[in-house]
Amino acid sequence: MDLVEFWTICKQRLSLYMPSEVYSAYVTHMRLSAGQVGTDEIRIRLEVPTRQAQEYIELHWLATLYKVAADVQSRSVRFELHTAAGEVLPDSVGPSPLNPALLPAYRFDNFVIEDNNRQAYTMARAIAKDPTSASIPTQIVLQGAVGSGKTHLVQAICHALHDDDQETGVCVWTQAISLTSLEAQGSQRSALDRVHVLLVDDIQALEDRPTVAKRLAQVLDERRRRGQRTVLATDRSVRRLTRLPEELQRALRDAFQLALLPANERFRERVV
């Protein structure tokens, strides 16, 4: 088969693994830009609309992409993702790494509540209702494996706050891996300082980015002293994040920790 047919089949199979809203927001906008077929290896170059989209796919779905590619044909495949300068995802990606891809379906009204996530859901609802309430911890860490629903919850908080208050900066959701400008303590840090509710997903991605992790620890300390709400999410327990700088480990240990326990397969299929 040629490269176009190969990529078309891979995309079709990816749709079986990915939530429909994730597939629509990311994969439908990916384009085969170049490729080379060798005797033992196929090289595929894929264009994605934004840097944030590239980082999201590489962090969450690249392994799945390689799996479906291996199912399609036997030769080794190497994927390279690159961005299309000047293009953005329609309706999904904002003008900056902050709120890069709030998925429309990640709202409270379609979150499946079960015993393994009820406490985290209740806390998320409380934050969305009144983030200034003294009964809510200043900093919260949601811990749960892929598919447990933690990203759904943190994005639902942001959706609810934006629906209730159109004030710019009332809430920001971002992936930890997108906080690279913290290395320079630039304008992004000012935005993180000002926002009323800060939601940072996939904290574990900072284990290999110590400079960003240390800057984030400073931001968290300053937000805690000002009484601003921050919700962080990680795919493992805080005590297992041993490669994070001590400053950030300490901030996470001091936060209110909530676990989303592993879901059964029926629940997982509905959340993932």
Side-chain angles (χ1 to χ4, degrees), residues 147-176:
S148 61
K150 61 187 182 300
T151 297
H152 190 144
L153 280 181
V154 294
Q155 291 203 16
I157 294 171
C158 217
H159 275 302
L161 288 170
H162 285 162
D163 289 345
D164 292 341
D165 189 341
Q166 297 304 313
E167 177 188 349
T168 301
V170 65
C171 177
V172 157
W173 172 84
T174 187
Q175 293 169 306

PDB file of all heavy atoms in Angstrom, residues 147-176:
ATOM      1  N   GLY A 147      -7.307   7.644  31.965  1.00  0.00           N
ATOM      2  CA  GLY A 147      -8.654   7.111  31.866  1.00  0.00           C
ATOM      3  C   GLY A 147      -9.463   7.211  33.131  1.00  0.00           C
ATOM      4  O   GLY A 147     -10.639   6.852  33.148  1.00  0.00           O
ATOM      5  N   SER A 148      -8.870   7.733  34.207  1.00  0.00           N
ATOM      6  CA  SER A 148      -9.600   7.835  35.474  1.00  0.00           C
ATOM      7  C   SER A 148     -10.561   9.023  35.499  1.00  0.00           C
ATOM      8  O   SER A 148     -11.448   9.083  36.350  1.00  0.00           O
ATOM      9  CB  SER A 148      -8.617   7.945  36.647  1.00  0.00           C
ATOM     10  OG  SER A 148      -7.814   9.112  36.526  1.00  0.00           O
ATOM     11  N   GLY A 149     -10.383   9.976  34.598  1.00  0.00           N
ATOM     12  CA  GLY A 149     -11.292  11.107  34.507  1.00  0.00           C
ATOM     13  C   GLY A 149     -10.760  12.407  35.075  1.00  0.00           C
ATOM     14  O   GLY A 149     -11.495  13.397  35.140  1.00  0.00           O
ATOM     15  N   LYS A 150      -9.488  12.468  35.453  1.00  0.00           N
ATOM     16  CA  LYS A 150      -8.970  13.680  36.093  1.00  0.00           C
ATOM     17  C   LYS A 150      -8.926  14.857  35.123  1.00  0.00           C
ATOM     18  O   LYS A 150      -9.249  15.989  35.492  1.00  0.00           O
ATOM     19  CB  LYS A 150      -7.588  13.417  36.703  1.00  0.00           C
ATOM     20  CG  LYS A 150      -6.519  13.000  35.730  1.00  0.00           C
ATOM     21  CD  LYS A 150      -5.239  12.610  36.435  1.00  0.00           C
ATOM     22  CE  LYS A 150      -4.157  12.247  35.419  1.00  0.00           C
ATOM     23  NZ  LYS A 150      -4.559  11.090  34.560  1.00  0.00           N
ATOM     24  N   THR A 151      -8.517  14.623  33.870  1.00  0.00           N
ATOM     25  CA  THR A 151      -8.506  15.703  32.885  1.00  0.00           C
ATOM     26  C   THR A 151      -9.924  16.169  32.588  1.00  0.00           C
ATOM     27  O   THR A 151     -10.172  17.375  32.424  1.00  0.00           O
ATOM     28  CB  THR A 151      -7.802  15.256  31.594  1.00  0.00           C
ATOM     29  OG1 THR A 151      -6.427  14.968  31.896  1.00  0.00           O
ATOM     30  CG2 THR A 151      -7.856  16.350  30.524  1.00  0.00           C
ATOM     31  N   HIS A 152     -10.849  15.236  32.527  1.00  0.00           N
ATOM     32  CA  HIS A 152     -12.261  15.593  32.332  1.00  0.00           C
ATOM     33  C   HIS A 152     -12.705  16.546  33.446  1.00  0.00           C
ATOM     34  O   HIS A 152     -13.345  17.575  33.181  1.00  0.00           O
ATOM     35  CB  HIS A 152     -13.100  14.316  32.329  1.00  0.00           C
ATOM     36  CG  HIS A 152     -14.516  14.518  31.910  1.00  0.00           C
ATOM     37  ND1 HIS A 152     -15.209  13.590  31.174  1.00  0.00           N
ATOM     38  CD2 HIS A 152     -15.394  15.534  32.133  1.00  0.00           C
ATOM     39  CE1 HIS A 152     -16.444  14.030  30.956  1.00  0.00           C
ATOM     40  NE2 HIS A 152     -16.579  15.210  31.540  1.00  0.00           N
ATOM     41  N   LEU A 153     -12.356  16.234  34.684  1.00  0.00           N
ATOM     42  CA  LEU A 153     -12.792  17.053  35.817  1.00  0.00           C
ATOM     43  C   LEU A 153     -12.172  18.442  35.792  1.00  0.00           C
ATOM     44  O   LEU A 153     -12.861  19.447  36.001  1.00  0.00           O
ATOM     45  CB  LEU A 153     -12.468  16.361  37.133  1.00  0.00           C
ATOM     46  CG  LEU A 153     -13.420  15.257  37.593  1.00  0.00           C
ATOM     47  CD1 LEU A 153     -12.972  14.687  38.931  1.00  0.00           C
ATOM     48  CD2 LEU A 153     -14.849  15.786  37.704  1.00  0.00           C
ATOM     49  N   VAL A 154     -10.859  18.527  35.558  1.00  0.00           N
ATOM     50  CA  VAL A 154     -10.232  19.850  35.611  1.00  0.00           C
ATOM     51  C   VAL A 154     -10.721  20.727  34.460  1.00  0.00           C
ATOM     52  O   VAL A 154     -10.912  21.941  34.630  1.00  0.00           O
ATOM     53  CB  VAL A 154      -8.683  19.761  35.640  1.00  0.00           C
ATOM     54  CG1 VAL A 154      -8.208  19.124  36.930  1.00  0.00           C
ATOM     55  CG2 VAL A 154      -8.126  19.022  34.445  1.00  0.00           C
ATOM     56  N   GLN A 155     -10.965  20.133  33.296  1.00  0.00           N
ATOM     57  CA  GLN A 155     -11.504  20.930  32.201  1.00  0.00           C
ATOM     58  C   GLN A 155     -12.950  21.311  32.473  1.00  0.00           C
ATOM     59  O   GLN A 155     -13.398  22.400  32.081  1.00  0.00           O
ATOM     60  CB  GLN A 155     -11.377  20.177  30.882  1.00  0.00           C
ATOM     61  CG  GLN A 155      -9.943  20.044  30.414  1.00  0.00           C
ATOM     62  CD  GLN A 155      -9.820  19.831  28.914  1.00  0.00           C
ATOM     63  OE1 GLN A 155     -10.758  20.054  28.157  1.00  0.00           O
ATOM     64  NE2 GLN A 155      -8.655  19.393  28.485  1.00  0.00           N
ATOM     65  N   ALA A 156     -13.702  20.433  33.146  1.00  0.00           N
ATOM     66  CA  ALA A 156     -15.090  20.758  33.491  1.00  0.00           C
ATOM     67  C   ALA A 156     -15.151  21.972  34.416  1.00  0.00           C
ATOM     68  O   ALA A 156     -16.064  22.804  34.305  1.00  0.00           O
ATOM     69  CB  ALA A 156     -15.760  19.552  34.142  1.00  0.00           C
ATOM     70  N   ILE A 157     -14.201  22.072  35.333  1.00  0.00           N
ATOM     71  CA  ILE A 157     -14.137  23.250  36.213  1.00  0.00           C
ATOM     72  C   ILE A 157     -14.009  24.512  35.378  1.00  0.00           C
ATOM     73  O   ILE A 157     -14.720  25.503  35.576  1.00  0.00           O
ATOM     74  CB  ILE A 157     -12.955  23.136  37.199  1.00  0.00           C
ATOM     75  CG1 ILE A 157     -13.163  21.978  38.188  1.00  0.00           C
ATOM     76  CG2 ILE A 157     -12.760  24.452  37.960  1.00  0.00           C
ATOM     77  CD1 ILE A 157     -11.935  21.678  39.036  1.00  0.00           C
ATOM     78  N   CYS A 158     -13.094  24.484  34.419  1.00  0.00           N
ATOM     79  CA  CYS A 158     -12.845  25.666  33.596  1.00  0.00           C
ATOM     80  C   CYS A 158     -14.063  25.999  32.732  1.00  0.00           C
ATOM     81  O   CYS A 158     -14.445  27.164  32.605  1.00  0.00           O
ATOM     82  CB  CYS A 158     -11.616  25.425  32.727  1.00  0.00           C
ATOM     83  SG  CYS A 158     -10.579  26.882  32.488  1.00  0.00           S
ATOM     84  N   HIS A 159     -14.679  24.989  32.152  1.00  0.00           N
ATOM     85  CA  HIS A 159     -15.888  25.223  31.362  1.00  0.00           C
ATOM     86  C   HIS A 159     -16.966  25.890  32.211  1.00  0.00           C
ATOM     87  O   HIS A 159     -17.605  26.863  31.786  1.00  0.00           O
ATOM     88  CB  HIS A 159     -16.421  23.901  30.806  1.00  0.00           C
ATOM     89  CG  HIS A 159     -15.790  23.473  29.527  1.00  0.00           C
ATOM     90  ND1 HIS A 159     -15.808  24.251  28.388  1.00  0.00           N
ATOM     91  CD2 HIS A 159     -15.125  22.334  29.195  1.00  0.00           C
ATOM     92  CE1 HIS A 159     -15.179  23.605  27.412  1.00  0.00           C
ATOM     93  NE2 HIS A 159     -14.761  22.448  27.875  1.00  0.00           N
ATOM     94  N   ALA A 160     -17.191  25.360  33.417  1.00  0.00           N
ATOM     95  CA  ALA A 160     -18.252  25.887  34.277  1.00  0.00           C
ATOM     96  C   ALA A 160     -17.981  27.334  34.674  1.00  0.00           C
ATOM     97  O   ALA A 160     -18.884  28.176  34.661  1.00  0.00           O
ATOM     98  CB  ALA A 160     -18.396  25.008  35.516  1.00  0.00           C
ATOM     99  N   LEU A 161     -16.734  27.644  35.007  1.00  0.00           N
ATOM    100  CA  LEU A 161     -16.395  29.010  35.408  1.00  0.00           C
ATOM    101  C   LEU A 161     -16.523  29.979  34.235  1.00  0.00           C
ATOM    102  O   LEU A 161     -16.979  31.106  34.395  1.00  0.00           O
ATOM    103  CB  LEU A 161     -14.986  29.053  35.990  1.00  0.00           C
ATOM    104  CG  LEU A 161     -14.836  28.419  37.379  1.00  0.00           C
ATOM    105  CD1 LEU A 161     -13.374  28.301  37.758  1.00  0.00           C
ATOM    106  CD2 LEU A 161     -15.585  29.230  38.428  1.00  0.00           C
ATOM    107  N   HIS A 162     -16.129  29.547  33.051  1.00  0.00           N
ATOM    108  CA  HIS A 162     -16.267  30.406  31.876  1.00  0.00           C
ATOM    109  C   HIS A 162     -17.733  30.615  31.514  1.00  0.00           C
ATOM    110  O   HIS A 162     -18.122  31.691  31.051  1.00  0.00           O
ATOM    111  CB  HIS A 162     -15.522  29.796  30.698  1.00  0.00           C
ATOM    112  CG  HIS A 162     -14.038  29.938  30.799  1.00  0.00           C
ATOM    113  ND1 HIS A 162     -13.162  29.168  30.071  1.00  0.00           N
ATOM    114  CD2 HIS A 162     -13.265  30.750  31.561  1.00  0.00           C
ATOM    115  CE1 HIS A 162     -11.917  29.512  30.365  1.00  0.00           C
ATOM    116  NE2 HIS A 162     -11.958  30.463  31.270  1.00  0.00           N
ATOM    117  N   ASP A 163     -18.554  29.588  31.716  1.00  0.00           N
ATOM    118  CA  ASP A 163     -19.980  29.720  31.421  1.00  0.00           C
ATOM    119  C   ASP A 163     -20.649  30.727  32.355  1.00  0.00           C
ATOM    120  O   ASP A 163     -21.548  31.472  31.958  1.00  0.00           O
ATOM    121  CB  ASP A 163     -20.688  28.366  31.562  1.00  0.00           C
ATOM    122  CG  ASP A 163     -20.303  27.404  30.444  1.00  0.00           C
ATOM    123  OD1 ASP A 163     -19.746  27.860  29.434  1.00  0.00           O
ATOM    124  OD2 ASP A 163     -20.559  26.192  30.597  1.00  0.00           O
ATOM    125  N   ASP A 164     -20.186  30.740  33.613  1.00  0.00           N
ATOM    126  CA  ASP A 164     -20.823  31.598  34.622  1.00  0.00           C
ATOM    127  C   ASP A 164     -20.259  33.008  34.641  1.00  0.00           C
ATOM    128  O   ASP A 164     -20.897  33.939  35.118  1.00  0.00           O
ATOM    129  CB  ASP A 164     -20.659  30.982  36.020  1.00  0.00           C
ATOM    130  CG  ASP A 164     -21.461  29.703  36.170  1.00  0.00           C
ATOM    131  OD1 ASP A 164     -22.394  29.501  35.365  1.00  0.00           O
ATOM    132  OD2 ASP A 164     -21.152  28.912  37.083  1.00  0.00           O
ATOM    133  N   ASP A 165     -19.038  33.183  34.158  1.00  0.00           N
ATOM    134  CA  ASP A 165     -18.372  34.484  34.261  1.00  0.00           C
ATOM    135  C   ASP A 165     -17.507  34.678  33.024  1.00  0.00           C
ATOM    136  O   ASP A 165     -16.523  33.964  32.840  1.00  0.00           O
ATOM    137  CB  ASP A 165     -17.514  34.541  35.531  1.00  0.00           C
ATOM    138  CG  ASP A 165     -16.965  35.932  35.812  1.00  0.00           C
ATOM    139  OD1 ASP A 165     -16.942  36.754  34.882  1.00  0.00           O
ATOM    140  OD2 ASP A 165     -16.572  36.173  36.967  1.00  0.00           O
ATOM    141  N   GLN A 166     -17.839  35.630  32.192  1.00  0.00           N
ATOM    142  CA  GLN A 166     -17.101  35.847  30.955  1.00  0.00           C
ATOM    143  C   GLN A 166     -15.841  36.680  31.146  1.00  0.00           C
ATOM    144  O   GLN A 166     -15.170  37.042  30.192  1.00  0.00           O
ATOM    145  CB  GLN A 166     -18.018  36.529  29.935  1.00  0.00           C
ATOM    146  CG  GLN A 166     -19.220  35.685  29.553  1.00  0.00           C
ATOM    147  CD  GLN A 166     -18.821  34.321  29.013  1.00  0.00           C
ATOM    148  OE1 GLN A 166     -17.940  34.224  28.159  1.00  0.00           O
ATOM    149  NE2 GLN A 166     -19.437  33.268  29.521  1.00  0.00           N
ATOM    150  N   GLU A 167     -15.516  36.999  32.399  1.00  0.00           N
ATOM    151  CA  GLU A 167     -14.317  37.801  32.659  1.00  0.00           C
ATOM    152  C   GLU A 167     -13.076  37.075  32.156  1.00  0.00           C
ATOM    153  O   GLU A 167     -12.857  35.905  32.454  1.00  0.00           O
ATOM    154  CB  GLU A 167     -14.176  38.055  34.163  1.00  0.00           C
ATOM    155  CG  GLU A 167     -12.917  38.835  34.540  1.00  0.00           C
ATOM    156  CD  GLU A 167     -12.716  38.890  36.051  1.00  0.00           C
ATOM    157  OE1 GLU A 167     -13.634  38.512  36.777  1.00  0.00           O
ATOM    158  OE2 GLU A 167     -11.623  39.321  36.461  1.00  0.00           O
ATOM    159  N   THR A 168     -12.266  37.762  31.390  1.00  0.00           N
ATOM    160  CA  THR A 168     -11.041  37.170  30.882  1.00  0.00           C
ATOM    161  C   THR A 168     -10.106  36.802  32.035  1.00  0.00           C
ATOM    162  O   THR A 168      -9.864  37.598  32.927  1.00  0.00           O
ATOM    163  CB  THR A 168     -10.312  38.152  29.946  1.00  0.00           C
ATOM    164  OG1 THR A 168     -11.188  38.485  28.877  1.00  0.00           O
ATOM    165  CG2 THR A 168      -9.043  37.529  29.394  1.00  0.00           C
ATOM    166  N   GLY A 169      -9.594  35.579  32.003  1.00  0.00           N
ATOM    167  CA  GLY A 169      -8.643  35.162  33.019  1.00  0.00           C
ATOM    168  C   GLY A 169      -9.267  34.599  34.279  1.00  0.00           C
ATOM    169  O   GLY A 169      -8.556  34.366  35.253  1.00  0.00           O
ATOM    170  N   VAL A 170     -10.593  34.371  34.297  1.00  0.00           N
ATOM    171  CA  VAL A 170     -11.201  33.800  35.496  1.00  0.00           C
ATOM    172  C   VAL A 170     -10.656  32.413  35.763  1.00  0.00           C
ATOM    173  O   VAL A 170     -10.533  31.977  36.902  1.00  0.00           O
ATOM    174  CB  VAL A 170     -12.746  33.781  35.378  1.00  0.00           C
ATOM    175  CG1 VAL A 170     -13.211  32.859  34.257  1.00  0.00           C
ATOM    176  CG2 VAL A 170     -13.377  33.346  36.704  1.00  0.00           C
ATOM    177  N   CYS A 171     -10.314  31.682  34.700  1.00  0.00           N
ATOM    178  CA  CYS A 171      -9.822  30.313  34.864  1.00  0.00           C
ATOM    179  C   CYS A 171      -8.894  29.979  33.707  1.00  0.00           C
ATOM    180  O   CYS A 171      -9.154  30.366  32.566  1.00  0.00           O
ATOM    181  CB  CYS A 171     -11.002  29.341  34.894  1.00  0.00           C
ATOM    182  SG  CYS A 171     -10.518  27.602  35.007  1.00  0.00           S
ATOM    183  N   VAL A 172      -7.825  29.266  33.999  1.00  0.00           N
ATOM    184  CA  VAL A 172      -6.891  28.822  32.972  1.00  0.00           C
ATOM    185  C   VAL A 172      -6.591  27.350  33.185  1.00  0.00           C
ATOM    186  O   VAL A 172      -6.298  26.919  34.300  1.00  0.00           O
ATOM    187  CB  VAL A 172      -5.574  29.636  33.007  1.00  0.00           C
ATOM    188  CG1 VAL A 172      -4.433  28.863  32.374  1.00  0.00           C
ATOM    189  CG2 VAL A 172      -5.756  30.965  32.301  1.00  0.00           C
ATOM    190  N   TRP A 173      -6.728  26.576  32.105  1.00  0.00           N
ATOM    191  CA  TRP A 173      -6.280  25.175  32.108  1.00  0.00           C
ATOM    192  C   TRP A 173      -5.097  25.070  31.169  1.00  0.00           C
ATOM    193  O   TRP A 173      -5.118  25.627  30.067  1.00  0.00           O
ATOM    194  CB  TRP A 173      -7.382  24.240  31.616  1.00  0.00           C
ATOM    195  CG  TRP A 173      -6.908  22.826  31.420  1.00  0.00           C
ATOM    196  CD1 TRP A 173      -6.811  21.853  32.375  1.00  0.00           C
ATOM    197  CD2 TRP A 173      -6.432  22.221  30.211  1.00  0.00           C
ATOM    198  NE1 TRP A 173      -6.308  20.693  31.840  1.00  0.00           N
ATOM    199  CE2 TRP A 173      -6.064  20.887  30.505  1.00  0.00           C
ATOM    200  CE3 TRP A 173      -6.272  22.673  28.904  1.00  0.00           C
ATOM    201  CZ2 TRP A 173      -5.572  20.002  29.549  1.00  0.00           C
ATOM    202  CZ3 TRP A 173      -5.763  21.793  27.945  1.00  0.00           C
ATOM    203  CH2 TRP A 173      -5.420  20.478  28.268  1.00  0.00           C
ATOM    204  N   THR A 174      -4.067  24.371  31.583  1.00  0.00           N
ATOM    205  CA  THR A 174      -2.916  24.161  30.723  1.00  0.00           C
ATOM    206  C   THR A 174      -2.260  22.843  31.087  1.00  0.00           C
ATOM    207  O   THR A 174      -2.427  22.311  32.184  1.00  0.00           O
ATOM    208  CB  THR A 174      -1.895  25.307  30.855  1.00  0.00           C
ATOM    209  OG1 THR A 174      -0.868  25.141  29.874  1.00  0.00           O
ATOM    210  CG2 THR A 174      -1.264  25.337  32.238  1.00  0.00           C
ATOM    211  N   GLN A 175      -1.518  22.302  30.145  1.00  0.00           N
ATOM    212  CA  GLN A 175      -0.704  21.121  30.419  1.00  0.00           C
ATOM    213  C   GLN A 175       0.651  21.573  30.943  1.00  0.00           C
ATOM    214  O   GLN A 175       1.212  22.567  30.479  1.00  0.00           O
ATOM    215  CB  GLN A 175      -0.520  20.291  29.142  1.00  0.00           C
ATOM    216  CG  GLN A 175      -1.810  19.665  28.641  1.00  0.00           C
ATOM    217  CD  GLN A 175      -1.634  19.100  27.251  1.00  0.00           C
ATOM    218  OE1 GLN A 175      -1.213  19.794  26.340  1.00  0.00           O
ATOM    219  NE2 GLN A 175      -1.950  17.838  27.090  1.00  0.00           N
ATOM    220  N   ALA A 176       1.166  20.830  31.904  1.00  0.00           N
ATOM    221  CA  ALA A 176       2.452  21.199  32.484  1.00  0.00           C
ATOM    222  C   ALA A 176       3.539  21.307  31.414  1.00  0.00           C
ATOM    223  O   ALA A 176       4.406  22.177  31.464  1.00  0.00           O
ATOM    224  CB  ALA A 176       2.848  20.172  33.550  1.00  0.00           C
TER     225      ALA A 176
END
